[in-house]
């Protein structure tokens, strides 16, 4: 391939698939959702397709609606360690919360993953929006939106300095001289801030990528500012090309205003494709999934997103827009605004809105032929809405197999996507440089035990 701009593609793995009824579809085996081999097979398939990364979302609480859907959580570092052992090149991205973890522990976990995978780790930085998580950590209330982002900025600063507390040349391991580490190149960080006091240094050498890739998910006003300052890849959700273009331009402009190269801040919206040989068949496939949805689950999801509690006897009535309250903590959320935009733009019935959300919880769902899916991806990529995509198969493994076997070859034929890896790290795949270390604090004095 030439130097032409290339798509970045991740496989976003959700237990069973991204459609809420995926676990009920005959193409899904719910008995394998806790089988490590299942996820290793998915990752190897994504690696054969030369995807940039596999991504596992996480949250520190049980979803309210697990009664009717496979919405449990697997701990991501255990999951990614198993994936790392079964793959060689594909990136490994996981969610970890800045609200419900501590910087030192998280820095160790990601540094270890980056070392043991030879430079394939990425951190999806979230502040956690689920208020029920607070009770799992001894808190009386979930911190406010602004409080969570204030903590997150300091959290990232601490983790960055911990990852840089070993200079690249600090690890010597010279068997002849007996010098294992140059302690003049290992530094405490001596951080004292509003939220954290951390002495440092990290007890792990600087990792192969220098630092794992910084990923961010969140499109609120605070989320956009956070992404522009810290993120190297931004996971986002949009329903229309115009919305995607506005977000893309805003993130790039904000990053440039902060002195960053906007080309090194990748915008990666989610897309959930239903693929068939004709558009009619693809739409029919989507309808079959929608017919498997359960109103009890769907209505609970709607309540969680918009704060409106409805009953099953209203499914075929127009959605009651007047019941939505736009103020308060919920109104700050980007997903709230996205769903409300669907309501205002399409004026759906309750059932139609539930089916719109069933596919991927607000991410775009596209049904069509392989060529149509490729056209859609190319349009967003070439018209200022995306640098690539999180591929969110409606069901697994079949939904991904269709994309890898039928859409990826079209993207390659159009010169939009690689046919072979050119590097070994996630930064290589994303086209991101290895960062220089931040300036060190005073060194740890060497202790002569001779």
């Amino acid at each position: 391939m030439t130097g032409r701009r290339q798509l970045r593609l991740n496989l976003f793995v959700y237990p069973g698939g991204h459609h809420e009824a995926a676990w009920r579809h005959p193409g899904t085996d719910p008995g394998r959702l806790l089988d490590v081999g299942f996820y290793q097979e998915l990752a190897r398939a994504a690696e054969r397709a030369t995807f940039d990364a596999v991504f596992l979302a996480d949250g520190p609480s049980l979803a309210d609606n697990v009664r009717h859907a496979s919405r449990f959580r697997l701990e991501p570092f255990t999951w990614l360690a198993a994936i790392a052992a079964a793959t060689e090149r594909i990136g490994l991205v996981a969610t970890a919360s800045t609200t419900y973890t501590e910087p030192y522990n998280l820095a160790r976990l990601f540094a270890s993953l980056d070392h043991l995978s030879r430079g394939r780790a990425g951190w999806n930085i979230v502040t956690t929006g689920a208020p029920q998580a607070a009770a799992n950590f001894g808190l009386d209330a979930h911190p406010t939106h602004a409080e969570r982002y204030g903590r997150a900025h300091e959290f990232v600063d601490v983790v960055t300095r911990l990852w840089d507390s070993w200079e690249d040349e600090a690890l010597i391991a010279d068997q002849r001289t007996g010098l294992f580490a140059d302690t003049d190149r290992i530094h405490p960080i001596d951080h004292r801030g509003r939220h954290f006091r951390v002495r440092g240094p990290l007890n792990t050498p600087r990792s192969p990528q220098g630092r794992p890739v910084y990923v961010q998910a969140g499109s609120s006003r605070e989320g956009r500012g956070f992404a522009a300052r810290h993120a190297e890849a931004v996971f986002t959700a949009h329903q229309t090309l115009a919305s995607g273009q506005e977000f893309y331009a805003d993130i790039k402009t904000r990053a440039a205003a902060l002195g960053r190269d906007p080309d090194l801040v990748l915008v990666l919206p989610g897309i959930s494709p239903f693929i068939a040989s004709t558009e009619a068949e693809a739409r029919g496939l989507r309808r079959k999934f929608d017919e498997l949805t359960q109103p009890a689950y769907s209505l609970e999801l709607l309540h969680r997103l918009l704060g409106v509690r409805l009953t099953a006897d209203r499914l075929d009535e127009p959605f009651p827009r007047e019941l939505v309250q736009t103020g308060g903590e919920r109104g700050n959320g980007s997903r709230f605004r996205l769903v409300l935009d669907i309501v205002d733009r399409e004026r759906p019935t309750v059932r139609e809105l539930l089916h719109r959300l069933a596919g991927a919880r607000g991410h775009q769902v596209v049904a069509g032929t392989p060529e149509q899916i490729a056209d859609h991806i190319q349009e967003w990529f070439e018209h200022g809405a995306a640098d690539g995509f999180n591929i969110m198969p409606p069901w697994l493994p079949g939904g991904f197999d269709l994309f890898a076997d039928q859409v990826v070859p079209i993207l390659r034929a159009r010169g939009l996507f690689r046919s072979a890896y050119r590097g070994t790290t996630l930064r290589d795949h994303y086209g991101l440089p290895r960062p220089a270390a931040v300036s060190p604090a005073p060194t740890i004095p060497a202790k002569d035990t001779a």
Side-chain angles (χ1 to χ4, degrees):
M1 287 187 179
T2 66
R4 182 181 178 184
R5 179 169 168 255
Q6 296 285 295
L7 279 163
R8 313 300 177 188
L9 297 178
N10 302 322
L11 170 58
F12 183 173
V13 178
Y14 222 75
H18 284 271
H19 194 283
E20 69 182 49
W23 70 277
R24 301 185 67 197
H25 189 267
T28 303
D29 181 1
R32 296 202 69 196
L33 298 185
L34 293 172
D35 175 5
V36 65
F38 173 68
Y39 297 105
Q40 290 173 328
E41 291 164 15
L42 283 172
R44 284 194 291 262
E47 188 170 68
R48 286 193 298 272
T50 64
F51 267 46
D52 294 84
V54 290
F55 165 50
L56 183 71
D58 189 37
S61 61
L62 180 66
D64 294 333
N65 44 18
V66 73
R67 179 179 179 87
H68 296 293
S70 58
R71 293 300 181 246
F72 60 85
R73 300 291 191 179
L74 288 168
E75 192 283 309
F77 291 98
T78 305
W79 190 89
L80 287 178
I83 300 302
T87 57
E88 295 181 356
R89 292 291 189 91
I90 196 162
L92 310 167
V93 181
T95 295
S97 172
T98 59
T99 305
Y100 293 109
T101 57
E102 290 295 319
Y104 197 89
N105 288 341
L106 185 139
R108 291 188 67 205
L109 288 165
F110 271 112
S112 297
L113 179 64
D114 205 46
H115 276 292
L116 298 179
S117 67
R118 299 183 182 89
R120 295 188 279 146
W123 172 27
N124 179 38
I125 308 165
V126 301
T127 63
T128 301
Q132 65 267 33
N136 294 334
F137 295 86
L139 300 182
D140 294 329
H142 188 51
T144 67
H145 194 79
E147 290 170 341
R148 297 198 306 274
Y149 272 99
R151 176 184 166 104
H153 282 288
E154 186 178 340
F155 193 112
V156 172
D157 179 60
V158 173
V159 169
T160 299
R161 297 188 68 86
L162 285 170
W163 283 335
D164 290 350
S165 61
W166 287 59
E167 296 180 33
D168 287 322
E169 300 81 8
L171 184 61
I172 306 297
D174 188 327
Q175 292 177 314
R176 183 183 61 83
T177 64
L179 182 63
F180 186 78
D182 182 352
T183 50
D184 289 338
R185 296 179 182 274
I186 304 173
H187 313 281
I189 68 169
D190 287 323
H191 177 86
R192 292 174 179 265
R194 178 181 176 187
H195 301 280
F196 306 109
R197 294 177 59 186
V198 181
R199 166 69 173 162
L202 197 64
N203 57 358
T204 309
R206 199 161 194 251
S207 72
Q209 295 188 107
R211 303 173 205 138
V213 174
Y214 292 26
V215 182
Q216 184 266 357
S219 302
S220 65
R221 178 176 58 83
E222 291 87 351
R224 293 181 185 216
F226 187 91
R229 182 171 297 279
H230 301 291
E232 296 169 293
V234 185
F235 294 169
T236 185
H238 298 282
Q239 289 289 319
T240 67
L241 177 62
S243 173
Q245 289 169 325
E246 182 279 326
F247 179 84
Y248 186 95
D250 185 51
I251 290 295
K252 303 285 185 170
T253 299
R254 287 172 181 256
L258 292 169
R260 300 184 64 196
D261 182 346
D263 290 338
L264 301 181
V265 183
L266 307 176
V267 176
L268 307 173
I271 180 173
S272 187
F274 285 91
I275 304 166
S277 58
T278 69
E279 183 177 354
E281 289 177 0
R283 292 182 180 277
L285 178 62
R286 180 178 178 180
R287 281 195 300 272
K288 289 180 180 178
F289 274 81
D290 289 344
E291 289 166 1
L292 293 174
T293 59
Q294 300 174 87
Y297 173 89
S298 304
L299 290 168
E300 182 59 36
L301 174 64
L302 187 64
H303 174 254
R304 190 154 48 85
L305 290 171
L306 291 184
V308 175
R309 190 170 294 281
L310 301 173
T311 55
D313 60 349
R314 302 188 63 177
L315 292 178
D316 294 310
E317 297 177 5
F319 177 81
R321 171 65 171 81
E322 67 278 3
L323 298 182
V324 180
Q325 301 296 315
T326 57
E329 183 76 5
R330 180 182 281 110
N332 289 326
S334 57
R335 198 59 55 91
F336 173 90
R337 294 291 175 183
L338 182 150
V339 176
L340 196 60
D341 181 61
I342 294 174
V343 172
D344 291 339
R345 187 176 66 253
E346 300 180 11
R347 302 293 180 182
T349 65
V350 174
R351 188 187 304 276
E352 288 168 342
L353 180 59
L354 296 182
H355 285 172
R356 289 282 272 108
L357 300 177
R361 306 171 307 285
H363 290 274
Q364 57 178 322
V365 178
V366 182
T369 66
E371 291 78 10
Q372 287 174 318
I373 302 300
D375 289 346
H376 182 90
I377 287 172
Q378 184 171 0
E379 180 183 28
W380 281 54
F381 181 59
E382 293 184 343
H383 289 82
D387 294 304
F389 289 86
N390 277 323
I391 305 303
M392 305 169 62
W395 80 101
L396 291 168
F400 179 71
D401 291 340
L402 286 170
F403 187 90
D405 294 342
Q406 299 184 24
V407 179
V408 167
I410 297 172
L411 297 174
R412 287 173 172 163
R414 296 178 183 182
L416 298 173
F417 188 59
R418 70 169 76 88
S419 56
Y421 291 112
R422 289 193 166 188
T424 61
T425 71
L426 180 55
R427 289 186 176 277
D428 291 336
H429 304 340
Y430 278 168
L432 299 172
R434 189 178 189 274
V438 296
S439 299
T443 61
I444 300 174
K447 294 183 179 179
D448 187 356
T449 58

